[in-house]
Amino acid sequence: MSKVLGMKCRECGEMYPVEPLYVCEVCFGPLEIVYDLDSIRQRVSRESIAAGPTSMWRYIDLLPIEGEPTVGKSVGWTPLVHARRLGAELSLNRLYIKNDSVNHPTLSFKDRVVALALSKAREFGFEVVACASTGNLANSVASQAAEGGFQSYVFIPADLEQGKILANLIYGTNVLAVSGNYDEVNRLCSEAAGRYGWAFVNINLRPYYGDGSKTFGYEIAEQLGWRSPDHVIVPCAGGSLISKIYKGLNELFALGLISSVPTKMHAAQATGCNPITHLVKSGAQVLRPVKPNTIAKSIAIGNPADGYFAAETVRRSGGTAEDVSDEEVIEGIRLLGRTEGIFTETAGGVTVAVTKKLAERGVFDREEVVVMAITGNGLKTQEVIMGDARRPTYIQPNLDSLETALRSERLLTGAGFKSAL
Ligand SMILES: *Cc1c(COP(=O)(O)O)cnc(C)c1O
Ligand SMILES: [Zn+2]
């Protein structure tokens, strides 16, 4: 029995069969996968899911592929960390980090969407895969295309962080570095998708790509002991992740796997690229595209494909939207590092800084369950903190040199200082 009923236009409701389609032929609205939840309810339970693999594929009954996954089998099931020390600083007793900075294989949540899109691309019979990317998506497509034996083309803005460019070259993909911002890259790719018969994961396979993000939400609920949190703070680029986390939580409720979804979804962006948070804050109905100017390049999309739906998710859930300066992003990266030992990239810095802002404003109660979406790894965006980071203390290999350094740099503190005296 099929778990998918088809695809539905999010604007006019027209139904389509499961094919590599992404826009409605009637109104040009985006298409979304519709699941047969009655049929799925018959076969999934908390126990059946718990007995599945320790990857995103434990939720295969809720994902739109027909057979077994063929690409990205180890993706997902990342740690949900109780952030006690950061929580203490923010006066939150139940603050959690969903830590996709250690997702396999390329250290960002994008591995989830790509594992699903490439497994589906194989079912559709594609041999060439591609993407328009702000960085992490390119890494994930390149890596998993290599694993799956696809030919691949990744399109990126030419001014991307070195770490993200370098990894692509190692994975042996074809890297097209476009002189332009992401929105120009995306426009080019939309045209290329029409011309070449390639599977652009976030263009013509976008409905499948998007539903990979549902697993981020499923995992949070399961890891909390099958309950939906009170708040989730999500960094937004195209606006897909925030909408799909919420979709995922509501599916778990519809399937009877959790008892309610009290969750407020909060959108986080950098002030230098804030079309979604601006849409929410202004109360407008129509998104106004912006020209990105921020160090948070992985989420620098000025004209987000799912921006309207992201804002709707915030409104419907009763959440908020906030943006932060590049200085606050760097402070956020440092705060998470020094309190929880997690080194996140700029998008994670946005999440932490926005969470801090909302906490200070009293948006959360002390005992509420608050989850921060940490979606990428700091090793990929080192240049943003290089100029800013503390230097090591350089010494000679002898105790005198150590002692001099410890005294002059005031590095001897507490018990260590006393016993040395
Ligand atoms: C792509 C990305 C996001 C946002 O994803 P959307 O679904 O496009 O909103 C957040 N964090 C990181 C690190 C990303 O790479
Ligand atoms: Zn339509």
Side-chain angles (χ1 to χ4, degrees):
M1 219 181 345
S2 183
K3 50 197 168 182
V4 173
L5 293 172
M7 292 198 290
K8 186 176 172 182
C9 173
R10 291 172 89 173
E11 303 285 351
C12 76
E14 182 80 7
M15 286 293 296
Y16 293 86
V18 173
E19 278 170 20
L21 295 171
Y22 66 108
V23 280
C24 176
E25 285 162 14
V26 180
C27 76
F28 300 106
L31 303 185
E32 180 174 49
I33 318 280
V34 183
Y35 294 86
D36 187 348
L37 290 177
D38 290 328
S39 142
I40 294 171
R41 194 176 298 118
Q42 308 303 315
R43 62 176 137 178
V44 300
S45 62
R46 293 177 178 181
E47 292 71 31
S48 73
I49 290 170
T54 50
S55 71
M56 64 181 263
W57 299 108
R58 64 206 278 109
Y59 310 103
I60 190 167
D61 287 329
L62 294 156
L63 297 172
I65 61 170
E66 293 302 314
E68 291 293 308
T70 50
V71 185
K73 286 202 187 123
S74 65
V75 175
W77 201 242
T78 55
L80 183 77
V81 181
H82 187 178
R84 289 189 175 80
R85 299 195 63 243
L86 179 55
E89 294 216 4
L90 303 183
S91 303
L92 296 172
N93 285 342
R94 295 152 94 191
L95 178 65
Y96 290 85
I97 293 162
K98 179 58 176 166
N99 188 8
D100 264 22
S101 77
V102 292
N103 202 4
H104 285 146
T106 70
L107 310 178
S108 88
F109 100 88
K110 291 294 197 308
D111 288 326
R112 300 174 184 273
V113 293
V114 171
L116 184 55
L118 294 200
S119 289
K120 196 66 198 177
R122 175 134 295 150
E123 289 186 354
F124 283 140
F126 285 102
E127 284 167 8
V128 183
V129 297
C131 68
S133 173
T134 55
N136 285 315
L137 182 61
N139 288 168
S140 193
V141 166
S143 161
Q144 296 191 52
E147 179 212 332
F150 291 96
Q151 217 187 316
S152 66
Y153 295 84
V154 303
F155 293 75
I156 53 172
D159 71 346
L160 220 54
E161 298 96 344
Q162 278 306 314
K164 286 178 184 164
I165 296 177
L166 186 66
N168 288 328
L169 299 169
I170 295 291
Y171 301 135
T173 184
N174 300 294
V175 184
L176 285 309
V178 181
S179 47
N181 61 31
Y182 173 82
D183 298 285
E184 292 166 302
V185 173
N186 189 50
R187 184 157 18 85
L188 170 64
C189 288
S190 300
E191 290 169 21
R195 171 159 315 183
Y196 313 105
W198 301 345
F200 273 87
V201 301
N202 57 335
I203 300 176
N204 46 353
L205 291 189
R206 191 168 180 89
Y208 305 94
Y209 159 99
D211 274 9
S213 289
K214 295 193 304 177
T215 62
F216 195 95
Y218 297 151
E219 289 180 17
I220 291 172
E222 183 178 353
Q223 289 169 321
L224 285 172
W226 294 107
R227 68 166 280 186
S228 196
D230 297 304
H231 302 272
V232 187
I233 301 92
V234 187
C236 296
S240 175
L241 176 62
I242 190 170
S243 328
K244 300 299 180 174
I245 292 173
Y246 199 56
K247 180 183 183 188
L249 293 170
N250 281 286
E251 284 175 354
L252 295 185
F253 173 66
L255 293 169
L257 296 171
I258 55 177
S259 61
S260 65
V261 183
T263 314
K264 294 183 166 74
M265 303 296 298
H266 304 276
Q269 292 201 294
T271 305
C273 184
N274 63 356
I276 294 172
T277 56
H278 180 265
L279 183 60
V280 175
K281 285 181 180 177
S282 70
Q285 282 303 313
V286 181
L287 181 138
R288 197 180 58 191
V290 305
K291 210 168 182 323
N293 179 19
T294 170
I295 58 167
K297 295 185 186 203
S298 57
I299 54 171
I301 298 185
N303 190 9
D306 292 305
Y308 170 79
F309 299 105
E312 266 310 293
T313 300
V314 169
R315 289 173 183 151
R316 255 196 308 137
S317 69
T320 62
E322 193 51 272
D323 45 72
V324 286
S325 69
D326 284 359
E327 292 70 36
E328 289 172 300
V329 173
I330 290 171
E331 277 169 31
I333 292 174
R334 293 166 162 284
L335 177 60
L336 188 66
R338 98 179 139 72
T339 55
E340 297 297 332
I342 293 173
F343 183 17
T344 187
E345 68 145 85
T346 47
V350 168
T351 303
V352 174
V354 166
T355 303
K356 180 163 183 276
K357 233 175 174 172
L358 297 181
E360 285 164 0
R361 194 185 298 159
V363 170
F364 317 124
D365 288 340
R366 184 184 274 273
E367 296 302 328
E368 282 184 320
V369 175
V370 180
V371 178
M372 296 191 295
I374 297 300
T375 48
N377 192 297
L379 292 173
K380 292 197 198 184
T381 61
Q382 295 184 43
E383 48 267 71
V384 301
I385 42 163
M386 283 287 187
D388 212 64
R390 285 179 59 180
R391 307 263 165 268
T393 302
Y394 292 96
I395 60 169
Q396 299 303 315
N398 61 62
L399 269 180
D400 279 350
S401 176
L402 171 62
E403 188 74 20
T404 310
L406 292 178
R407 287 179 186 284
S408 67
E409 308 246 350
R410 295 183 216 284
L411 294 180
L412 266 189
T413 57
F417 191 67
K418 289 200 190 90
S419 64
L421 291 175

